[in-house]
Amino acid sequence: MRNPTAPADDLTKPPPAGAFRQPVVWLGAAILVATIAGCIATIVISLRYADTPVESPRSAFKVPLPHPAPPEAK
């Protein structure tokens, strides 16, 4: 049994640090922000540069392909 006059271990320990002081929280936040920035960059790049049609044979893996749309005049 514990000695009732001895101080409890919980009283001598400092209080736990807040979540903002944990490095793993900052690492997780940095990864989240980098992922969102990468998604936004991918969307911007895909909107800026058009996808040009590629010439291909009339079938791929024995499946007929539709005719590509004619390029738009500028």
Side-chain angles (χ1 to χ4, degrees), residues 25-70:
V25 173
W26 290 107
L27 177 64
I31 291 172
L32 176 67
V33 169
T35 303
I36 292 172
C39 290
I40 292 171
T42 303
I43 292 169
V44 169
I45 290 171
S46 68
L47 291 176
R48 183 171 293 172
Y49 302 104
D51 189 19
T52 57
V54 176
E55 295 295 327
S56 64
R58 294 286 179 222
S59 66
F61 300 108
K62 298 181 182 179
V63 176
L65 297 174
H67 296 286

